[in-house]
Amino acid sequence: MNLNDAVFMLLALITIGSALGVVASKNIVHSALLLVVTFMGVAGLYFQMNAGFIGLVQILIYGGAISVLIIFAIMLVMDVEPEKTNLPSPSLARRMWGVYLVVLLIIALGASIWYTRWPLAISAAGTDELTALANLMLGKYVVAFEVAAILLLVAVVGAIILAKGADDK
Amino acid sequence: MIGFTHYLILSTILFGIGMYGVISKRNAVAVLMSVEIMLNAVNINFIAISKFIRSETAIGQLFAIFVIVVAAAEVAVGLALIIAIYRQKKSVNLNDFNLLKW
């Protein structure tokens, strides 16, 4: 087991452990803070896969913006005591159906991933992925890039109108 | 030796955890957080394919950026909706959100 494998195992343990904490915690503030740890673990996995730019974007957007947004929303809508804010569904049948479906999904998808012969290509180490990304984004996929920008603008304006209320001027 | 399949299986497990959260949680904010975990699992798949299969182009990383953009838009609108409904219903429990059910 070399260093690369050890780092992967550590990051996988952090990511999956904190994701389990997000769904298992009964206090939604703890869930939100563990969600930040999950995002950071995923960012570490991106760094390990030579995707440094995506890792930085992950830390900035998920670890910074989205987690702050979620924590603010929790502060605005929390009305009962914190230990009871994130209880699982009271119906046992629903929880069992959830566990059943998830175990089924993981077994089926995991087996099909494990037994597929993937057409792996050895990646050239040290390629400049940022230049390639910029050329794609402002070259062949420039329309999708602009549409994504418009989507973000419309979503933010819509979020302000929804949260502020249209009637109070 | 850690390879492509390990990344895919890790992302499958993360997706499953997020799916369990969506099915079993009653707090609307917790459901949104579980959806974010599922989108992160999808992004791990994109980056792994970009590294291990189509490494000559950065197309997988481009798609991961678009997924992040859509996720940011989704969480902004979703939280605004939750705050708007909370103002009317005084609750974030999904069982109380039955406005469109007759």
Side-chain angles (χ1 to χ4, degrees), chain A residues 85-96:
Chain A
T85 43
N86 196 15
L87 295 176
S89 172
S91 120
L92 183 70
R94 178 177 279 271
R95 292 205 301 272
M96 287 297 113

Side-chain angles (χ1 to χ4, degrees), chain A residues 2 5 8-9 12 15-16 19-20 22-23 25 28 31-32 35 39 42 45-46 48-51 53-54 57-58 61-62 66 69-70 73-74 76-77 79 85-90 94-95 98-99 101-102 105-106 109 113-114 118-123 129 132-133 136-137 141 144-145 148 151-152 155 159 162-165, chain B residues 1-10 12-27 29-30 32-34 36-37 39-40 43-44 47-49 51-59 61-77 79-84 86-87 90-92 95:
Chain A
N2 55 22
D5 297 7
F8 174 82
M9 286 298 172
T15 308
I16 290 178
L20 279 175
V22 171
V23 295
S25 169
I28 198 159
S31 289
L35 191 69
F39 290 158
V42 175
L45 286 167
Y46 294 162
Q48 205 197 7
M49 286 188 277
N50 293 333
F53 179 66
I54 310 288
V57 167
Q58 168 90 6
I61 295 184
Y62 277 106
I66 289 183
L69 207 61
I70 287 176
I74 289 170
L76 285 175
V77 300
D79 48 356
T85 43
N86 196 15
L87 295 176
S89 172
R94 178 177 279 271
R95 292 205 301 272
V99 172
L101 281 177
V102 167
L105 175 97
I106 289 176
L109 264 183
I113 286 166
W114 192 256
W118 300 97
L120 292 182
I122 304 301
S123 63
E129 104 272 356
L133 205 56
L136 278 175
M137 201 183 264
Y141 293 93
F145 177 69
L151 171 75
L152 262 186
L162 277 174
K164 190 171 137 294
Chain B
M1 186 60 199
I2 296 295
F4 184 54
T5 49
H6 297 85
Y7 285 104
L8 290 195
I9 286 172
L10 170 67
T12 306
I13 294 171
L14 260 188
F15 191 89
I17 293 170
M19 198 167 103
Y20 174 75
V22 170
I23 293 173
S24 76
K25 284 294 181 181
R26 294 296 85 200
N27 189 325
V29 183
L32 262 184
M33 298 195 315
S34 305
E36 293 300 315
I37 293 178
L39 287 166
N40 266 288
N43 271 347
I44 292 177
I47 302 291
I49 289 168
K51 175 167 164 41
F52 289 102
I53 290 182
R54 293 297 299 273
S55 54
E56 69 273 15
T57 61
I59 193 85
Q61 301 193 19
L62 188 74
F63 270 81
I65 287 183
F66 285 130
V67 171
I68 290 176
V69 168
V70 174
E74 173 251 337
V75 79
V77 175
L79 289 174
L81 276 174
I82 290 170
I83 290 172
Y86 176 76
R87 217 181 280 140
K90 295 291 165 215
S91 163
V92 286
N95 289 333

